[in-house]
Structure formats: C-alpha cells, structure tokens
C-alpha cells in the first residue's frame, strides 16, 4: 500500500519558483539575464519573466544595463540583487563589547556600530537594554539611508536553545536568559556567536565545504561546518571548544571545571601570560603557551571530525603569525593523519566582525530562501 500524498498547492509552487529564481541571481557572479535564468532553472521564459517582475516590484531584484557587445542582436538586461531592498540587522553582545551592523541584500555592510565596555558588571536585562539602544540607532541610520530592515539576529557567546533562550553564557554570567521583544516587534533570532561567524566565513571566501571556525575572544567557541552545512549537534549546542580540558588539574574555569582551553588561550589568559594590558600589545609577545594549548584542542577536533581546514577568528586572526608555529607543532605531533594530510590554518577574512555580520547574513538568507513570505508581508 502506497502512502497518500497531499496535493501541491499553486501557491507552494510559486513560492518555490520565486526562491529558485532569486537564488540563481544571488549566486551568479555577474548579472544574469531572464533568458539565462530560464535556461538554467528549466522554467519557461514567460514564467521567469512574471516571477522577475514580482521580485523587482518587491525590491528584491533590480535590472542593470547590459554590457555592450559585438555582433547582431540587442544584449539582454541583467538581473542582480537590489542594494536598496530589505536589509538585515546583525547584533552581537560579548564580554567586553556590544555591536550592531546593517547589511543590505547584496551583502554589503552599510552601517557598523561598536561600543566597547565590560558587560559582566551588569545583569542580563541591563546589558540587553544597552544593546537595544544601539540597535535602535542602527535602525535609525538604516531608515535614513532608505533601507527597510527585514529582521534581526543576535550573536551571543553561549548555549542557545531552539526557542532563543540563552541557557548559559559562562563568561557573561547568564543563565536561562530570554531575549524577548528586544526591538518593539521586529522579529529577532538568537544564535551562538561562533556558529554565526562560521556561516559568515563560509559565504565570504574560497573555503572548502568542511572546516571549523575557532573564535578567540575572552571565551573561545567553534562553529563546525560539514559539507557546507552548519553542524549544531543534537540540541544545537555543539562547538564548545573553549571547555575542552587541556590539563584537568589546571586553573579553575568560569564553567566550573579546571584546566579548560580558555584558561590558557582565552584573551584574558593571553594578556596575563604576556604581562600586557591590551590586545594590541600582544603583537610581538611570546604566545607559545596559548599556541600549544590551541594546537592540543585543534588536534582533538581534527582527529574527531576529520576536517582539513581550521579558520582562526577574533583576536586569533591578526595573531596567527605568532601562534602558527606552536599550533602547528602540536597538530603535527597529535593529528594521526598529519603526515599525509596536513591541516591548513587560515586567518578569518572578517576578523572581529564575523559574528555580527553572520547575524545580519542570517536575516538576508531567510529573505533569499523565502521571498514569497516577504512579498506577502509587503502587500499586507
């Protein structure tokens, strides 16, 4: 007996085709014509033309003048994402700063705001109130720039439940914090900062489809990307590399354990070991202890996941030249496959902005994945 199938509604077919066309344009390195979209998608030219007209009317696509060419016939106009279409608001709250950025549909950062300051003396409600003020200023600037923000996403250094509750952020001292209505009705999602940074890096460069992004701040997190997809684990809490044990008898960690990676290679640990007060002063310092600890943790990750590329972000990105030798020595000693499959260490292309840009990018991806819902909201 075969299972019954529900009929496919016409609206579902249209939603699928809208997303197909929009993503073909988004993924094309150059402006692409309607005829080319039809050829690649398998849709008829008439269908593509109607869908494109709807996407242009919804400020998701724009037409550009064709490049001049030799030969007979008039060249077709090209399509690209609309830079004045719906934008994403990316927010981040970390131990020693809060930040916001507005990214347009093409991926360009239009506004960036950063407020340094230790968030630990304040409780979660006060910290989120300060972030809300920063977000409103970003929204004000976006509106002045003619942009409509489609939604917001918040990056936090902790474990985030499926409903957006921050279960624990040890370095912030947060436990079971519900972000709630941070922006007066603007939809907001919450995710781990390393996860969002990894997704941002995936879309920014020539990375292989599988890699691990390691975020170096006061805390240390990892975003795991396997075959182009973020690996979240069973409960969405994967990537807590900062709490791998380097020495079980080592110094106490805020998580309650001893000898965690953060106590050797976190920002504050590196400053203490170097005897300096600022991250800028770490340039030229002896970072061998942090490098060996990172190499030990990275080796465990590579042996477990069989990935060949590690992207170092946050403060690790500019310090990679100083860290590389010590990390590499541990990796070569501990990774079983290192002799015939060397591990590649890369610095993040986006540096300290990766998480908040990844947060804004999550909003943009939601628009690209479901333009039908966006068009329906515009009509209502």
């Amino acid at each position: 007996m075969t299972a019954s199938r529900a009929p496919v509604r016409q609206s579902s077919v249209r939603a699928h085709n809208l997303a197909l066309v929009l993503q073909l344009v988004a993924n094309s390195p150059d402006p692409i014509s309607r005829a080319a979209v039809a050829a690649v998608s398998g849709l008829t030219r008439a269908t593509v033309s109607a869908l494109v007209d709807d996407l242009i009317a919804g400020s998701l696509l724009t037409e550009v003048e064709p490049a001049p060419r030799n030969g007979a016939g008039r060249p077709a106009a090209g399509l690209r994402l609309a830079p004045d279409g719906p934008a994403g608001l990316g927010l981040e709250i970390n131990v020693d700063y809060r930040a916001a950025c507005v990214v347009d549909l093409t991926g360009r950062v239009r506004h960036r705001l950063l407020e340094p300051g230790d968030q630990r003396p304040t409780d979660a409600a006060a910290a989120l109130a300060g972030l809300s003020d920063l977000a409103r200023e970003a929204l004000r600037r976006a509106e002045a720039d003619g942009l409509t923000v489609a939604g917001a996403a918040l990056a936090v250094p902790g474990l985030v439940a499926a409903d957006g509750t921050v279960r624990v952020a040890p370095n912030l001292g947060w436990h079971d914090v519900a972000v709630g209505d941070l922006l007066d009705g603007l939809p907001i999602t919450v995710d781990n900062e390393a996860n969002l940074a990894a997704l941002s890096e995936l879309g920014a460069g020539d990375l292989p489809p599988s890699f691990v992004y390691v975020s170096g701040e006061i805390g240390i997190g990892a975003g795991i990307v396997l075959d182009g997809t973020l690996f979240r684990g069973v409960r969405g809490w994967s990537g807590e590399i900062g709490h791998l044990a380097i020495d079980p008898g080592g110094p106490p960690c805020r998580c309650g354990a001893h000898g965690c990676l953060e106590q050797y290679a976190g920002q504050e640990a590196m400053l203490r070991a170097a005897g300096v007060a600022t991250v800028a002063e770490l340039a030229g310092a002896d970072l061998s202890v942090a490098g060996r600890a990172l190499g030990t943790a990275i080796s465990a990750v590579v042996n477990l996941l069989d990935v060949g590329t590690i992207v170092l972000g946050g403060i690790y990105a500019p310090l990679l030249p100083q860290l590389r030798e010590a990390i590499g020595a541990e990796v070569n000693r501990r990774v079983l496959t290192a002799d015939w499959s060397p591990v590649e260490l890369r610095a993040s292309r986006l540096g300290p902005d990766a998480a908040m840009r990844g947060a804004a990018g999550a909003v943009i991806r939601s628009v690209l994945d479901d333009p039908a819902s966006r068009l329906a909201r515009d009509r209502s």
Side-chain angles (χ1 to χ4, degrees):
M1 181 178 178
T2 59
S4 61
R5 295 183 179 180
V8 177
R9 297 181 182 275
Q10 186 64 32
S11 58
S12 299
V13 174
R14 180 176 179 274
H16 172 272
N17 290 340
L18 280 167
L20 175 62
V21 170
L22 187 59
Q23 290 173 14
L24 281 173
V25 175
N27 293 328
S28 176
D30 300 306
I32 183 172
S33 69
R34 298 184 188 215
V37 170
V40 173
S41 67
L43 300 172
T44 67
R45 290 196 180 194
T47 297
V48 167
S49 186
L51 294 170
V52 166
D53 286 344
D54 286 346
L55 292 168
I56 290 174
S59 298
L60 297 174
L61 290 181
T62 187
E63 285 188 308
V64 296
E65 289 297 319
R69 73 180 188 189
N70 297 323
R74 180 184 176 189
L79 298 167
R80 63 181 177 89
L81 295 175
D84 57 350
L89 174 62
L91 305 173
E92 182 181 5
I93 188 160
N94 219 306
V95 177
D96 55 351
Y97 65 88
R98 51 191 176 222
C101 71
V102 177
V103 174
D104 68 25
L105 204 59
T106 71
R108 177 186 165 202
V109 178
R110 301 287 285 269
H111 300 283
R112 176 184 182 275
L113 296 86
L114 178 69
E115 285 186 353
D118 196 337
Q119 306 301 305
R120 289 170 292 189
T122 61
D123 61 18
L128 288 169
L131 183 66
S132 180
D133 291 340
L134 191 67
R136 288 191 178 90
E137 174 59 20
L139 290 172
R140 186 193 67 76
R141 295 188 186 189
E143 183 179 0
D145 204 17
L147 296 172
T148 299
V149 173
L154 170 61
V156 295
L159 302 180
V160 181
D163 65 357
T165 300
V166 182
R167 288 299 183 199
V168 60
N171 292 308
L172 286 171
W174 289 13
H175 295 274
D176 292 322
V177 173
V179 172
D181 190 7
L182 185 67
L183 295 169
D184 301 327
L186 185 71
I188 183 168
T189 59
V190 187
D191 204 344
N192 174 267
E193 54 92 19
N195 284 345
L196 291 170
L199 290 173
S200 186
E201 292 288 340
L202 179 64
D206 58 345
L207 284 167
S210 297
F211 65 93
V212 173
Y213 173 92
V214 179
S215 170
E217 304 288 350
I218 289 176
I220 305 172
I224 303 167
V225 177
L226 302 176
D227 293 330
T229 301
L230 184 70
F231 175 76
R232 294 182 175 275
V234 174
R235 292 164 295 181
W237 299 340
S238 68
E240 289 299 319
I241 191 175
H243 300 288
L244 288 181
I246 302 303
D247 177 5
C253 181
R254 293 183 184 90
C255 72
H258 285 74
C260 295
L261 175 62
E262 288 183 2
Q263 301 309 307
Y264 299 92
Q267 179 177 307
E268 290 180 335
M270 293 170 71
L271 293 173
R272 284 195 304 269
V276 298
T278 66
V279 172
E281 293 175 283
L282 289 174
D286 179 5
L287 304 180
S288 57
V289 171
R292 287 195 297 270
L294 274 169
T296 300
I298 287 170
S299 298
V301 169
V302 173
N303 282 331
L304 181 65
L305 297 177
D306 187 27
V307 292
T309 300
I310 303 293
V311 179
L312 293 169
I315 65 168
Y316 295 150
L319 296 174
L320 181 55
Q322 293 166 251
L323 293 165
R324 186 183 294 277
E325 183 176 354
I327 294 174
E330 291 298 323
V331 167
N332 290 335
R333 186 161 69 93
R334 296 174 181 275
V335 172
L336 296 178
T337 58
D339 287 344
W340 60 88
S341 182
V343 176
E344 181 185 15
L345 299 175
R346 292 196 189 188
S348 162
R349 289 194 174 195
L350 302 177
D353 289 352
M356 69 171 170
R357 287 182 62 171
V363 177
I364 297 302
R365 280 193 301 277
S366 70
V367 174
L368 297 179
D369 289 344
D370 187 16
S373 293
R374 178 70 195 178
L375 296 178
R377 282 194 297 270
D378 288 345
R379 286 195 295 267
S380 61

